[in-house]
């Protein structure tokens, strides 16, 4: 049996040595490590050494500057969050290479075999504790101990209760130590390493208390317990027959180690020592600890499981808070910009529908901001504390879209190597936004209809349905009525979706919102790029308002982003920086002879010029001119009348 010895060869602790107690040695800058290194190039939790069956493994804990082993002229780098084997005499280099690293000599020290007085297999540990009189006393004490363990609220309190209970059941014991398997160190290795996690000592009152300083433990005992899967009673009679270094170094007169187990799994070791006076524990003491171990192992196992679940829940809560915050920043935290009449009407319609359960259908051209409106349906409602989940139905093929929306069971199809939750399940209690819903295949439309009618989903490969509470918001840029007539969209689903339609107007129908939108995007991209810009010149704003924006708000956003890149720092964005398709309007304005005045007056002058030019080109034929201008003949008549053209 071998133990570790570490000698620091460089750095602030050069020359110091450490003989670690447990099988896992944590190294880093943080004070909770077994070997604390003060150098700045060493991470807070840099690496750890794991001793298993006389073999040592170095594991880098995703440190900033890395870990390596120097073996003669060879340098072996330890991959992040992975392990490599270390040999006797190797030098660890932490936080760099050569002179830049903190160097630690690693040696394996042989220790003599343990002087075992008796072994008691697991199957014999929960039986009698000796005489009837002793049994009665032990059972009374055990009852009190079990009540204390039952009152424990977390793993730390459970371990204290178990250790103090051991001192109660074994009157001759002065110290009790709990050694637990290091669950993190067991991944990828045949056996787990064990770490002493708690020691209690008998106080003057006879009750257990925390020791005032470090307490050496008997590594040879708990290793024997684990390897033999049995309780071990050992003694350190000062003779040649017993020379275990760890027992002698701890000044231990006798010791008992019993396993904590669940089924075939060894969770750890409960170890008691007598360090004050010569004397031997007996078989009755072993039996008493065996009964305690048998009854408290489940409490330790459950407490560790609860701790993992609590940590996992805390991590999930942090991730959910982060994701929800990011989602709000992307959608819910961005207001709908626009003071035009059509946008004010849209906002009023939103307020009417947000806290109802009806399905909302958002109609509008590409780039008008349908997803932003959908997010407002969610974040203005009482569902805002739950998730807003978006899925573009045109982004995935039919089989993948079904799995994405409804989930699937493991093995339900080729490649389904694990169970997957669908977006309906993820968005339970919240809102699911289905963009481009007209692209959904007909078989999937039938499943969507069932969700809307019954509130039930069935994952791919599942035999049972699940009830979900999800609000559906759908969007499309096609005419749904025409899709139904063409047989590409189910008529019954159409009526289910179009309960409360909202139309997002194209940007050309709300030109008065262009300056506010442009200012919003200008502020956003100057901040993101760290490039201060004075603003948009008046001529630039006029051209932006005169353009039809076939790509709507998205096209305007892209144009402003490009303008910020083009602009000089601290300068104004002038018309010459605009894209050629927008600058084309400038020549029209010049030819129209639009003088300076209010924006409305200049726009009317340009419109008048364009209408007259079109009529001239078509020889006064209003039908042909209207067709070229993309409006109806009645619309042209109306415009001519508004502008005072006979």
């Amino acid at each position: 049996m071998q133990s570790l010895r570490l000698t620091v060869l460089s750095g602030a602790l050069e020359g110091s040595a450490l003989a670690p107690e447990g099988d896992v040695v944590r190294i880093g800058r943080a004070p909770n490590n077994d070997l604390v290194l003060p150098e700045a190039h060493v991470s807070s939790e840099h690496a750890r050494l794991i001793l298993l069956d006389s073999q040592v493994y170095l594991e880098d804990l995703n440190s900033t500057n890395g870990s390596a082993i120097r073996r003669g002229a060879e340098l072996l780098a330890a991959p992040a969050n992975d392990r490599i084997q270390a040999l006797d005499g190797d030098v660890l280099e932490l936080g760099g290479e050569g002179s830049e690293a903190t160097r630690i000599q690693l040696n394996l020290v042989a220790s003599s075999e343990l002087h075992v007085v008796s072994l008691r297999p697991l199957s014999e540990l929960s039986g009698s504790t000796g005489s009837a009189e002793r049994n009665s006393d032990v059972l009374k004490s055990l009852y009190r101990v079990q009540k204390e363990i039952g009152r424990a609220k977390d793993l730390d309190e459970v371990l204290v209760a178990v250790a103090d209970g051991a001192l109660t059941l074994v009157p001759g014991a002065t110290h009790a130590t709990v050694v637990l398997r290091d669950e993190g160190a067991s991944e990828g290795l045949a056996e787990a390493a064990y770490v002493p996690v708690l020691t209690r000592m008998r106080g003057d009152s006879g009750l257990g208390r925390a020791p005032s300083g470090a307490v050496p433990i008997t590594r040879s005992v708990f290793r024997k317990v684990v390897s033999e899967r049995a309780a071990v009673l050992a003694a350190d009679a000062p003779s040649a027959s017993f020379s275990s270094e760890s027992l002698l170094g701890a000044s231990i007169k006798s010791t008992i180690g019993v396993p904590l187990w669940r089924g075939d799994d060894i969770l750890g070791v409960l170890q008691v020592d007598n360090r004050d006076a010569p004397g031997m524990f007996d078989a009755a003491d072993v039996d008493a600890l065996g009964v305690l171990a048998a009854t408290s192992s489940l409490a330790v196992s459950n407490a560790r499981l609860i701790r993992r679940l609590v940590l996992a829940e805390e991590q999930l809560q942090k991730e959910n808070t982060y994701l929800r915050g990011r989602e709000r920043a992307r959608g819910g935290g961005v207001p709908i910009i626009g003071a035009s009449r059509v946008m004010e009407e849209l906002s009023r319609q939103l307020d009417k529908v947000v806290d109802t359960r009806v399905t909302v259908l958002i109609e509008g051209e590409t780039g008008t901001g349908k997803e932003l409106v959908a997010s407002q349906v969610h974040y203005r409602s009482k569902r805002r504390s739950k998730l807003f989940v978006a899925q573009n139905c045109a982004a995935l093929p039919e089989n993948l879209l079904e799995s994405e929306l409804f989930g699937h069971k493991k093995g339900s199809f080729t490649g389904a190597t694990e169970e997957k939750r669908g977006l309906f399940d993820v968005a339970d209690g919240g809102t699911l936004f289905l963009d481009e819903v007209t692209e959904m295949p007909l078989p999937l439309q039938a499943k969507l209809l069932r969700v809307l009618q019954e509130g039930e989903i069935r994952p791919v490969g599942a035999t049972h349905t699940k009830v979900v509470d999800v609000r559906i918001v759908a969007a499309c840029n096609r005419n749904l009525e025409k899709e139904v007539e063409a047989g590409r969209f189910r008529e019954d689903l159409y009526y289910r979706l179009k309960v409360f339609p909202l139309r997002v107007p194209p940007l050309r129908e709300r030109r008065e919102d262009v300056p506010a939108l442009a200012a919003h995007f200008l502020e956003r991209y100057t901040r993101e790029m760290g490039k201060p810009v004075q603003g948009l010149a008046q001529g630039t704003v006029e051209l932006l308002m005169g353009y039809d924006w076939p790509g709507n708000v998205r096209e305007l956003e892209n144009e402003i982003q490009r303008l910020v890149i083009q602009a000089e720092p601290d300068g104004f964005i002038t018309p010459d920086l605009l894209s050629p398709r927008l600058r084309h309007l400038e020549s029209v304005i010049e030819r129209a002879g639009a003088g300076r005045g209010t924006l409305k007056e200049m726009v009317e002058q340009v419109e008048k010029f364009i209408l007259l030019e079109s009529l001239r080109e078509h020889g006064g034929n209003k039908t042909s001119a209207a067709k070229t201008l993309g409006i109806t003949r009645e619309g042209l008549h109306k415009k001519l009348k508004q502008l005072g053209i006979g």
Side-chain angles (χ1 to χ4, degrees):
M1 193 171 293
Q2 293 182 307
S3 303
L4 280 175
R5 181 176 176 83
L6 303 177
T7 305
V8 182
L9 303 180
S10 65
L13 301 181
E14 181 177 352
S16 60
L18 173 70
E21 302 278 348
D23 289 345
V24 178
V25 185
R26 294 174 174 83
I27 305 172
R29 204 172 63 249
N32 61 321
N33 289 287
D34 301 300
L35 177 55
V36 180
L37 301 173
E39 285 78 22
H41 56 255
V42 175
S43 297
S44 296
E45 295 179 352
H46 195 102
R48 63 181 176 181
L49 292 167
I50 304 167
L51 179 61
L52 290 173
D53 287 340
S54 300
Q55 293 183 331
V56 186
Y57 299 88
L58 170 66
E59 179 180 8
D60 182 84
L61 300 177
N62 200 23
S63 63
T64 302
N65 298 312
S67 308
I69 292 175
R70 177 75 64 179
R71 188 174 297 157
E74 188 178 11
L75 184 68
L76 306 173
N81 290 322
D82 204 352
R83 302 176 183 128
I84 57 174
Q85 187 174 355
L87 304 178
D88 181 34
D90 281 349
V91 174
L92 311 182
E93 295 190 355
L94 307 181
E97 295 182 12
S99 60
E100 298 177 357
T102 298
R103 300 166 60 242
I104 302 169
Q105 177 87 41
L106 182 150
N107 293 107
L108 289 172
V109 181
S111 57
S112 301
E113 282 298 312
L114 184 68
H115 182 71
V116 177
V117 175
S118 70
L119 283 174
R120 190 70 56 83
L122 281 177
S123 58
E124 301 177 11
L125 285 183
S126 55
S128 171
T129 57
S131 65
E133 183 180 355
R134 171 108 189 228
N135 264 335
S136 177
D137 293 339
V138 169
L139 287 175
K140 291 178 182 177
S141 298
L142 187 61
Y143 174 72
R144 293 194 300 271
V145 169
Q146 285 298 115
K147 286 180 66 177
E148 290 300 317
I149 294 174
R151 291 193 190 101
K153 298 176 181 178
D154 55 28
L155 178 61
D156 292 335
E157 291 187 8
V158 168
L159 297 181
V160 168
V162 171
D164 287 351
L167 295 175
T168 299
L169 292 172
V170 183
T174 60
H175 293 74
T177 299
V178 179
V179 180
L180 292 181
R181 184 179 63 195
D182 183 17
E183 294 174 315
S186 65
E187 299 173 7
L189 296 174
E191 292 187 44
Y194 290 81
V195 181
V197 294
L198 176 82
T199 296
R200 300 280 286 180
M201 62 180 295
R202 193 182 300 279
D204 295 336
S205 63
L207 301 176
R209 66 173 178 84
S212 56
V215 178
I217 63 150
T218 54
R219 183 187 300 106
S220 50
V221 171
F222 74 72
R223 286 184 181 172
K224 190 73 172 178
V225 171
V226 173
S227 63
E228 297 289 341
R229 302 178 63 81
V232 173
L233 171 59
D236 67 338
S239 66
S241 63
F242 183 72
S243 59
S244 173
E245 291 181 7
S246 58
L247 282 174
L248 293 174
S251 300
I252 294 171
K253 309 302 179 181
S254 60
T255 186
I256 300 173
V258 295
L260 301 171
W261 77 97
R262 187 172 183 182
D264 294 330
D265 196 16
I266 301 294
L267 308 174
V269 175
L270 173 61
Q271 185 172 310
V272 299
D273 305 318
N274 169 16
R275 305 182 184 219
D276 284 349
M280 274 295 298
F281 297 132
D282 56 24
D285 294 322
V286 176
D287 289 334
L289 283 184
V291 174
L292 174 62
T295 57
S296 61
S297 293
L298 181 60
V300 173
S301 176
N302 288 345
R304 296 194 85 176
L305 176 60
I306 291 171
R307 171 174 281 188
R308 289 198 300 272
L309 291 175
V310 168
L311 291 175
E313 184 179 15
E314 289 176 352
Q315 181 64 27
L316 285 174
Q317 287 177 345
K318 290 177 183 177
E319 291 176 0
N320 282 339
T321 300
Y322 166 75
L323 290 173
R324 286 173 182 167
R326 187 179 68 175
E327 195 61 38
R328 287 191 182 96
R330 290 175 56 190
V334 179
I336 297 177
I337 297 172
S340 60
R341 182 185 57 79
V342 289
M343 294 307 292
E344 287 179 351
E345 176 60 24
L346 176 62
S347 185
R348 282 193 294 270
Q349 292 293 96
L350 270 174
D351 291 336
K352 291 177 181 178
V353 77
V354 289
D355 281 325
T356 66
R357 295 178 58 87
V358 302
T359 303
V360 176
L361 178 66
I362 303 174
E363 299 173 305
E365 298 177 5
T366 299
T368 51
K370 295 187 291 295
E371 184 169 349
L372 176 60
V373 174
S375 72
Q376 291 295 307
V377 173
H378 175 77
Y379 288 110
R380 291 191 190 186
S381 74
K382 296 176 182 178
R383 294 175 178 260
R384 67 178 68 89
S385 62
K386 301 296 184 179
L387 288 179
F388 172 76
V389 181
Q391 175 61 47
N392 189 321
C393 298
L396 294 173
E398 178 180 349
N399 57 335
L400 293 182
L401 181 60
E402 181 178 9
S403 173
E404 189 71 16
L405 293 177
F406 298 95
H408 64 252
K409 291 293 184 180
K410 182 178 179 180
S412 57
F413 54 86
T414 303
T417 56
E418 59 184 20
E419 187 170 327
K420 175 183 173 63
R421 293 178 66 197
L423 294 184
F424 279 104
D425 195 7
V426 172
D428 193 11
T431 303
L432 177 60
F433 173 54
L434 298 176
D435 197 8
E436 307 293 354
V437 71
T438 52
E439 301 296 327
M440 182 178 288
L442 286 170
L444 274 186
Q445 292 179 26
K447 295 194 72 171
L448 175 59
L449 181 63
R450 179 171 180 80
V451 178
L452 292 171
Q453 290 176 335
E454 309 295 338
E456 294 179 346
I457 61 169
R458 177 178 290 178
V460 179
T463 57
H464 301 287
T465 59
K466 179 179 181 179
V467 176
V468 292
D469 174 22
V470 180
R471 195 209 191 134
I472 304 296
V473 178
C476 64
N477 57 12
R478 294 184 186 178
N479 187 305
L480 262 184
E481 288 86 349
K482 291 183 178 179
E483 293 296 305
V484 172
E485 291 174 3
R488 292 188 293 267
F489 202 82
R490 293 178 63 105
E491 186 175 7
D492 47 4
L493 179 58
Y494 163 74
Y495 290 118
R496 278 284 180 177
L497 289 178
K498 204 166 183 176
V499 177
F500 195 92
L502 292 173
R503 178 178 179 270
V504 184
L507 193 52
R508 63 182 174 274
E509 292 182 11
R510 53 185 187 113
R511 295 177 190 270
E512 56 268 48
D513 292 331
V514 170
L517 286 166
H520 168 75
F521 293 131
L522 184 66
E523 189 275 333
R524 172 183 170 182
Y525 287 112
T526 52
R527 184 180 66 251
E528 285 185 7
M529 298 180 191
K531 187 177 184 180
V533 174
Q534 291 292 324
L536 299 169
Q538 182 179 353
T540 305
V541 176
E542 292 169 358
L543 290 174
L544 292 176
M545 291 189 67
Y547 183 59
D548 270 350
W549 300 107
N552 293 297
V553 178
R554 185 179 298 133
E555 185 182 4
L556 173 61
E557 179 181 0
N558 293 339
E559 180 68 19
I560 298 298
Q561 185 178 18
R562 194 191 66 80
L563 288 172
V564 174
I565 296 172
Q566 291 279 89
E568 295 295 328
D570 296 316
F572 280 93
I573 295 179
T574 53
D576 60 291
L577 297 177
L578 290 168
S579 299
R581 64 183 184 280
L582 277 87
R583 287 205 308 272
H584 173 71
L585 289 174
E586 190 172 22
S587 63
V588 175
I589 292 173
E590 291 174 353
R591 289 168 57 200
R596 294 300 175 188
T598 66
L599 183 62
K600 184 175 182 296
E601 291 171 345
M602 289 188 290
V603 170
E604 286 180 351
Q605 290 181 58
V606 172
E607 284 187 331
K608 186 174 182 179
F609 170 78
I610 293 172
L611 293 176
L612 290 173
E613 280 290 299
S614 182
L615 286 169
R616 183 185 59 79
E617 290 174 2
H618 291 281
N621 188 317
K622 293 179 180 179
T623 301
S624 299
K627 186 176 181 181
T628 301
L629 292 170
I631 58 177
T632 63
R633 194 173 189 278
E634 291 74 15
L636 177 58
H637 272 295
K638 186 178 179 181
K639 274 288 182 185
L640 292 173
K641 185 177 180 180
Q642 288 175 349
L643 296 171
I645 303 174

